[in-house]
Amino acid sequence: MRKTVLFVLATVGAATPALAGQSASVDRTGYTAIAAGDLSMAEQRIVAERKIFPQRPELMLNLASVYHRTGRESEARALYAAVLERPAVAMDLPSGAVVSSHDLASRALARQSQQIATR
């Protein structure tokens, strides 16, 4: 099954997918709040949604992005690793490219490792 996603690059380069086609009032992936910079609200929404759908990779990836942006690197890495432990899900990017959830998680982990090495 393919998940349609929007792809945003965080200021630190972490990928943040979210379901497209959802209005801001029904955003259950935290995308709207992340894009608006309201990371606290994004975290609340994603955590609530993960109680219902704990295995959805877009929720794990978005929450990992929030954790990364708020300095919780170990929690972010754990979520990226959790995405890699589950079956890959194809995600459509706005550019028309299709990328797997594994590729997004791997890229984010690589960026985190690179940032740690350059500190």
Side-chain angles (χ1 to χ4, degrees):
M1 176 190 335
R2 294 171 88 181
K3 302 267 183 180
T4 303
V5 297
L6 293 178
F7 189 74
V8 177
L9 292 178
T11 56
V12 293
T16 306
L19 289 178
Q22 290 184 351
S23 69
S25 63
V26 189
D27 177 24
R28 292 187 172 104
T29 63
Y31 170 78
T32 304
I34 292 170
D38 190 348
L39 300 180
S40 177
M41 177 59 73
E43 183 174 352
Q44 289 175 16
R45 286 183 182 163
I46 297 166
V47 168
E49 193 69 8
R50 283 200 73 215
K51 288 179 182 178
I52 302 165
F53 302 106
Q55 306 302 316
R56 286 180 54 189
E58 64 275 15
L59 296 174
M60 288 187 276
L61 290 166
N62 280 1
L63 188 56
S65 178
V66 169
Y67 287 164
H68 175 73
R69 292 178 189 199
T70 56
R72 294 177 279 174
E73 301 300 331
S74 62
E75 292 94 333
R77 280 192 300 277
L79 283 170
Y80 291 132
V83 170
L84 295 172
E85 292 172 359
R86 288 160 180 75
V89 174
M91 298 188 170
D92 296 323
L93 305 181
S95 67
V98 177
V99 179
S100 79
S101 55
H102 284 190
D103 190 36
L104 293 172
S106 295
R107 283 192 227 171
L109 282 170
R111 284 187 193 107
Q112 278 189 319
S113 295
Q114 182 180 20
Q115 288 174 349
I116 291 169
T118 59
R119 289 184 185 169

